[in-house]
Amino acid sequence: MAGRNTVIRSMHDLGMAAWFGGGLMGAVGLNGAAAGAKDPVERLTLSSLGWAKWAPVQVAAIVVHGIGGAGLIVSNKGRLATQQEGRDNTGVKLALTVAAAGTTLWSGLAGARMAKHASEGAEGTTEPGSSSSKALASAQRQQKVLQWVTPVLTGVLIVLGAHQGEQQRPLAGLLNRR
């Protein structure tokens, strides 16, 4: 079993916590609150401003998580070489991390298109209004789905990380060799 990896494990976990929590708070809190603005133009403007302020933190969280994840793979290469369950979990986590990064990027691009059309106003943050252009409506429809996909993917990654922690317990290694 590998030695302690407190720094890289903390980077992995704190990065994921910020990524998950920021996405969920944005979908529920920021987009929900902005949708309640009385002025239809303010709905998209407030949401866009909030997401723009969060974007650098989101990028940092993803980078920190990625560095921590890579560090954990390197530090656990011996265990991963002998523990099929650990390799499987790592492969699934890697695929889901790439998918979550993709949905985060896609969501950011859709949000940028929404910000560009904020002056058109909207029924809600992710609901087009009667005066919304096709470009705005398309971006809002995408965002309506993407705002939930990323927290779901990152939530699953948190569960898989917990599962990997269980695999590293001394007894888990003995049971997996039988």
Side-chain angles (χ1 to χ4, degrees):
M1 189 161 129
R4 294 187 187 267
N5 300 299
T6 304
V7 172
I8 60 171
R9 186 176 304 279
S10 296
M11 291 174 70
H12 174 269
D13 293 351
L14 288 171
M16 180 53 65
W19 190 2
F20 168 78
L24 188 60
M25 192 285 184
V28 176
L30 178 58
N31 287 351
K38 292 187 188 322
D39 180 351
V41 172
E42 279 188 340
R43 293 175 189 144
L44 293 177
T45 302
L46 292 172
S47 177
S48 296
L49 288 171
W51 280 110
K53 287 190 174 285
W54 175 249
V57 177
Q58 183 87 317
V59 169
I62 293 168
V63 169
V64 166
H65 170 72
I67 292 169
L72 286 174
I73 290 170
V74 169
S75 69
N76 288 295
K77 64 184 175 203
R79 180 179 64 83
L80 293 174
T82 62
Q83 191 181 51
Q84 180 65 42
E85 186 181 16
R87 282 193 309 274
D88 292 346
N89 183 301
T90 299
V92 170
K93 277 184 65 182
L94 183 57
L96 289 177
T97 300
V98 169
T103 61
T104 301
L105 176 62
W106 186 0
S107 180
L109 293 172
R113 287 194 314 275
M114 290 166 54
K116 183 178 171 185
H117 294 276
S119 63
E120 296 173 24
E123 184 68 30
T125 305
T126 58
E127 294 78 26
S130 59
S131 63
S132 298
S133 65
K134 287 183 182 181
L136 175 57
S138 173
Q140 286 179 295
R141 282 191 300 276
Q142 292 172 39
Q143 194 69 277
K144 187 171 192 144
V145 174
L146 290 167
Q147 71 179 349
W148 300 111
V149 173
T150 300
V152 166
L153 289 172
T154 54
V156 170
L157 285 166
I158 290 170
V159 172
L160 290 172
H163 184 244
Q164 280 187 327
E166 292 296 312
Q167 292 171 342
Q168 289 183 295
R169 294 171 59 174
L171 184 57
L174 294 174
L175 293 176
N176 287 329
R177 290 184 189 164
R178 291 183 183 179

